[in-house]
């Protein structure tokens, strides 16, 4: 193919129409209600397991303050992403936003950070699914992980419309179970239960912050788990009926629901069962009910069973998210192009299967808490870049069409950017070896782009077309 140089940084290759015909997604599969469901589905497993590891880092007070900070970050970020997604509605999501603001390098750095997040998060969730299955059926471990990967990747291969509707139903059931849990635990709430972790000698330590001020910072990665992946809603852009209208509604609706659940769960669960009892639990909601009611109850069994549905909803939907991120990066040549080929159902098969194999391998570690750290590392790097993209486009491209405008403008995205920078560092306080390992993986992906794929990018993809149009408009002004 002839190469189309665009300076010394990257090279584009022209492809024929058949290339894009082999890489089409199913149009009009989702409206805004399904997108709200998708955003909640991405995250709802975080209400069922994983967040409680933050109690071991900061105590209840540290985790509560960390959650307030991260809820603020995600709310500001979702308002900012709502604007970006209405401007640039492509399957690339964050990669497309950063590509428009910073060029191919910015797009790649953002897209691969998101990819690390979405490829690792299902592995962590698989570990929690195993814990729930163990308590429900007495069967856990690798067989459960493998079965879930095979079943839910298979459903996605069958077709996106069916998958999104099934995700919505599963998510609705999981949300009902959270409501049952909250109602059941309220009568047992006692403020003293929140503050039952012994006070350490750390600076600033108190019954509210038993691990001191640094505990707030160390709890941030697990506070993020309450919200992680909601930013994936824009990845459904090319399969949405009216993306300029529906994507902002989906993002904002999802974050409002998730923030409400996060704060209620964080107060009611430790308040009924005791904070200390939940710091290492693989299924904290079920254990909370057992402790509050003095043993197994029908409510505990119900929340356990339907809690499994919550974990499945996130597992199922994040598989969707990673496949769309890989699809967009591959279609544009940033990753091997074979990964973006779609089947008769318009599903990118290799983009679904290959990360699934990697994720299954990682789930065999059984270290759900450490896998969360890796996912959070990728996520927070992408948040910094996406918020920087929002600010950059507001300054450099003020006349771009913005069907939705972020309330507060640059102040809103700037606040999210500052909080994201704080969150990037937080993982090092928990286990620096894990975060350094994630950074090495990121470095390998960057090297692939630097030495190979930046010379083989594809001209004519939606993200590149948006960038070309913006460049032309900027030249006119």
């Amino acid at each position: 193919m002839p190469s189309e140089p665009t300076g010394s940084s990257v090279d584009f290759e022209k492809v024929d129409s058949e290339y894009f015909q082999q890489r089409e997604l199913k149009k009009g599969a989702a409206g805004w209600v399904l997108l709200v469901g998708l955003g909640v589905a991405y995250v709802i497993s975080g209400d069922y397991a994983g967040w409680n590891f933050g109690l071991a880092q900061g105590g209840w007070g540290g985790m509560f303050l960390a959650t307030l900070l991260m809820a603020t970050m995600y709310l500001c970020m979702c308002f900012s992403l709502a604007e970006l997604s209405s401007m640039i509605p492509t399957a690339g999501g964050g990669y497309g936003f950063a590509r428009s603001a910073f060029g191919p390098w910015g797009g790649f750095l953002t897209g691969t950070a998101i990819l690390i997040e979405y490829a690792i998060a299902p592995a962590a969730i698989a570990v929690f699914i195993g814990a729930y299955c163990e308590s429900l059926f007495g069967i856990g471990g690798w067989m459960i992980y493998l079965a879930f990967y095979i079943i839910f990747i298979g459903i996605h291969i069958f077709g996106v419309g069916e998958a999104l509707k099934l995700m919505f139903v599963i998510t609705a059931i999981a949300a009902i179970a959270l409501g049952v849990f909250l109602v059941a635990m309220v009568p047992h709430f006692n403020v003293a239960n929140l503050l039952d972790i012994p006070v350490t000698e750390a600076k600033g330590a108190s019954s509210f912050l038993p691990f001191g001020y640094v505990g707030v910072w160390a709890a941030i990665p697990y506070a993020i788990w309450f919200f992680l992946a909601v930013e994936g809603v824009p990845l459904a852009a090319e399969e949405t009926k009216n993306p300029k209208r529906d994507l902002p509604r989906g993002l904002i609706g999802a974050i409002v629901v998730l923030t409400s659940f996060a704060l209620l769960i964080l107060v009611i669960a430790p308040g009924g069962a005791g904070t200390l009892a939940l710091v290492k639990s693989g299924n904290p909601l079920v254990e909370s009910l057992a402790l509050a009611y003095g043993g197994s109850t029908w409510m505990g069994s119900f929340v356990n069973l339907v809690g499994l549905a919550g974990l499945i909803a996130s597992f199922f939907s994040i598989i969707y998210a990673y496949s769309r991120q890989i699809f967009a990066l591959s279609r544009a040549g940033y990753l091997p192009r074979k990964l973006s080929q779609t089947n008769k159902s318009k599903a990118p098969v290799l983009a679904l299967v290959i990360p699934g194999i990697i994720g299954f391998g990682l789930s065999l570690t059984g270290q759900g808490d450490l896998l969360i750290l890796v996912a959070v590392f990728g996520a927070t790097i992408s948040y910094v870049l996406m918020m920087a993209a929002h600010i950059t486009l507001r300054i450099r491209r003020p006349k771009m069409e913005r069907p939705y405008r972020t309330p507060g403008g640059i102040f809103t995205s700037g606040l999210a950017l500052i909080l994201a920078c704080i969150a990037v560092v937080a993982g090092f306080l928990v286990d620096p070896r894990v975060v350094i390992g994630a950074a090495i993986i990121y470095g390998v992906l960057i090297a692939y782009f630097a030495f190979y794929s930046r010379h083989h990018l594809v001209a004519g993809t939606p993200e590149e077309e948006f960038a070309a149009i913006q460049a032309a408009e900027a030249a006119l002004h």
Side-chain angles (χ1 to χ4, degrees):
M1 291 285 180
S3 181
E4 185 181 303
T6 58
S8 58
S9 177
V10 298
D11 296 297
F12 287 92
E13 296 177 6
K14 292 179 179 178
V15 295
D16 55 27
S17 59
E18 185 181 355
Y19 179 86
F20 291 109
Q21 288 170 6
Q22 294 172 345
R23 291 162 174 81
E24 291 181 343
L25 298 173
K26 188 175 181 180
K27 309 297 182 185
W32 73 269
V33 175
L34 270 185
L35 291 178
V36 171
L38 177 63
V40 175
Y42 283 145
V43 188
I44 198 165
S45 66
D47 293 313
Y48 281 96
W51 60 270
N52 53 299
F53 297 130
L55 301 173
Q57 301 296 328
W60 185 82
M63 182 62 180
F64 179 71
L65 293 178
T67 301
L68 288 180
L69 286 171
M70 292 303 97
T72 302
M73 180 186 78
Y74 273 94
L75 188 62
C76 291
M77 185 170 70
C78 283
F79 279 126
S80 305
L81 292 178
E83 176 176 302
L84 290 169
S85 64
S86 73
M87 295 162 58
I88 310 165
T90 71
Y95 138 64
F97 309 150
R99 168 68 184 89
S100 294
F102 305 122
W105 268 101
F108 181 82
L109 291 172
T110 306
T112 48
I114 294 169
L115 185 54
I116 290 171
E117 170 193 356
Y118 289 161
I120 302 301
I125 297 168
V127 173
F128 301 136
I129 288 173
Y132 269 70
C133 286
E134 185 77 44
S135 63
L136 267 174
F137 313 117
I139 303 172
W142 72 268
M143 290 183 292
I144 293 295
Y145 309 156
L146 181 61
F148 276 84
Y149 267 108
I150 289 174
I151 290 168
F152 291 107
I153 287 175
I155 293 172
H156 278 299
I157 289 172
F158 183 70
V160 65
E162 295 77 7
L164 286 175
K165 289 170 186 172
L166 181 57
M167 273 190 278
F168 188 86
V169 172
I170 295 172
T171 304
I173 294 169
I176 291 169
L178 288 179
V180 170
F181 169 80
L182 292 167
V183 170
M185 290 297 292
V186 164
H188 298 272
F189 178 82
N190 187 326
V191 173
N193 288 338
L194 299 173
L195 310 176
D196 65 356
I197 290 182
V199 179
T200 67
E201 297 182 0
K203 188 171 183 178
S206 63
S207 58
F208 182 69
L209 296 174
F211 301 103
Y213 303 130
V214 74
V216 180
W217 205 352
I220 280 176
Y222 300 103
I224 286 175
W225 195 242
F226 270 132
F227 310 99
L228 185 86
V230 67
E231 74 280 1
V233 170
L235 293 170
E238 292 180 33
E239 294 152 287
T240 300
K241 293 174 183 175
N242 186 343
K244 292 182 178 182
R245 181 197 67 187
D246 294 342
L247 290 173
R249 289 182 179 182
L251 274 162
I252 295 166
I255 195 60
V256 168
V257 172
L258 291 167
T259 301
S260 303
F261 273 137
L263 294 175
L264 287 169
I265 293 292
L266 181 57
V267 172
I268 300 300
T275 299
L276 188 61
L278 301 182
V279 295
K280 295 181 179 179
S281 175
N283 51 355
L285 302 195
V286 177
E287 289 198 18
S288 295
L289 286 167
L291 289 166
Y293 284 87
S296 179
T297 64
W298 72 266
M299 288 176 293
S301 299
F302 174 73
V303 170
N304 199 353
L305 182 61
V306 183
L308 185 58
L311 293 169
I312 290 169
S314 293
F315 182 78
F316 193 16
S317 55
I318 297 176
I319 287 173
Y320 169 85
Y322 76 54
S323 70
R324 269 46 183 183
Q325 187 65 76
I326 291 175
F327 168 84
L329 289 168
S330 166
R331 180 177 61 181
Y334 292 84
L335 295 177
R337 297 179 190 178
K338 280 279 186 185
L339 295 173
S340 54
Q341 287 188 331
T342 53
N343 63 8
K344 292 179 180 178
S345 299
K346 304 299 183 185
V349 177
L350 290 179
L352 287 160
V353 172
I354 291 176
I357 294 170
I358 296 169
F360 169 68
L362 290 170
S363 71
L364 297 178
T365 65
Q367 301 293 315
D369 55 339
L370 299 184
L371 290 170
I372 287 175
L373 286 183
V374 179
V376 166
F377 169 81
T380 51
I381 293 289
S382 74
Y383 299 164
V384 169
L385 292 167
M386 289 190 292
M387 294 304 94
H390 180 273
I391 294 168
T392 300
L393 290 173
R394 272 290 183 106
I395 294 170
R396 293 184 183 171
R397 306 279 195 272
K399 295 184 179 180
M400 277 185 71
E401 182 189 2
R402 288 172 167 83
Y404 175 88
R405 297 183 69 87
T406 302
I410 288 176
F411 174 81
T412 300
S413 51
L415 179 57
L417 174 61
I418 292 168
L419 291 170
C421 290
I422 293 170
V424 169
V425 182
F428 288 94
L429 299 176
V430 181
D431 194 327
R433 296 169 303 168
V434 173
V435 180
I436 290 168
I440 291 171
I441 294 169
Y442 193 36
V444 170
L445 291 168
I446 293 170
Y448 171 79
F449 182 68
F451 292 108
Y452 178 77
S453 69
R454 71 186 177 97
H455 299 299
H456 301 276
L457 301 183
V458 176
T461 64
E463 293 81 13
E464 302 302 335
E465 289 295 303
F466 271 107
I469 292 168
Q470 289 164 32
E473 290 176 346
L476 291 173
H477 296 97

